[in-house]
Amino acid sequence: MRLSAEQESRIQANIRAIQKLNNSSLSDAEIRQNLSAIIQSPIDETNTIRLPLFVDSGVNIHFGKHDFINVGVTLVDLGGIYFGDQVLVAPQARILTVNHPLDPQIRQAGDLELHAVHLKDNCWIGAGATILPGVTVGTNAIVAAGAVVSHDVPDKAVVAGVPAKVIKYV
């Protein structure tokens, strides 16, 4: 898939809007209001989002309720990011939905592979963790700090490492 001119335009507009948001001194309600305009969807008043926050398209982010997004989180959302309720995302975590094809000719042509990420209810993404495209993090699961998650995480699992592996269940 290649980005359309409309998608490229949206990304460029959102880069400016996010930069402005990140350089403002706003209340939690004002952050939600401004971010709602960027993602073109209301953000529930129970959610807390700490700045800075980095997004690309923005319109493919879907928050639940009682979500907490800490400072420095990156959401590359072209493929869609779906938050359940009570999701915790620690500082500097990265949630990615975009990949590039393995074939170098296709990759250099600008094609992208998009795969949604689903963060189920009450999961916790640790500081500096990376969630790769197409991953679902299960209900009540925990992703340890610094983990790189390339496969689905079962409900109630704790995963750690690079690549992340189940180390126990809660």
Side-chain angles (χ1 to χ4, degrees):
M1 178 218 154
R2 290 196 183 140
L3 295 179
S4 68
E6 181 182 329
Q7 288 170 314
E8 284 287 354
S9 177
R10 166 154 306 289
I11 289 169
Q12 291 306 312
N14 279 348
I15 287 171
R16 290 186 295 278
I18 285 291
Q19 286 173 341
K20 183 177 177 182
L21 178 65
N22 286 334
N23 290 310
S24 301
S25 179
L26 303 172
S27 69
D28 285 348
E30 291 169 323
I31 291 170
R32 284 190 300 273
Q33 181 181 22
N34 281 275
L35 190 56
S36 289
I38 291 167
I39 71 171
Q40 297 182 349
S41 178
I43 297 173
D44 192 83
E45 66 183 17
T46 62
N47 291 333
T48 301
I49 296 136
R50 299 282 186 243
L51 302 176
L53 174 72
F54 306 99
V55 303
D56 55 3
S57 171
V59 298
N60 302 301
I61 299 170
H62 310 277
F63 289 106
K65 295 182 180 179
H66 301 280
D67 296 330
F68 182 86
I69 312 300
N70 216 322
V71 298
V73 169
T74 299
L75 305 174
V76 178
D77 68 287
L78 283 172
I81 300 173
Y82 298 86
F83 290 83
D85 295 334
Q86 298 177 323
V87 173
L88 302 175
V89 182
Q92 305 301 319
R94 294 167 297 275
I95 302 169
L96 313 174
T97 66
V98 177
N99 206 348
H100 298 280
L102 293 177
D103 183 311
Q105 290 179 337
I106 296 172
R107 183 172 58 243
Q108 291 305 318
D111 282 358
L112 300 172
E113 296 174 354
L114 307 179
H115 302 282
V117 169
H118 296 267
L119 306 174
K120 299 294 185 173
D121 292 348
N122 203 38
C123 71
W124 175 17
I125 310 302
T130 301
I131 310 298
L132 295 177
V135 167
T136 294
V137 178
T139 301
N140 297 313
I142 299 171
V143 174
V148 176
V149 183
S150 57
H151 297 288
D152 290 351
V153 178
D155 292 350
K156 299 182 180 180
V158 178
V159 299
V162 179
K165 292 183 174 25
V166 174
I167 58 171
K168 65 181 167 181
Y169 286 86
V170 295

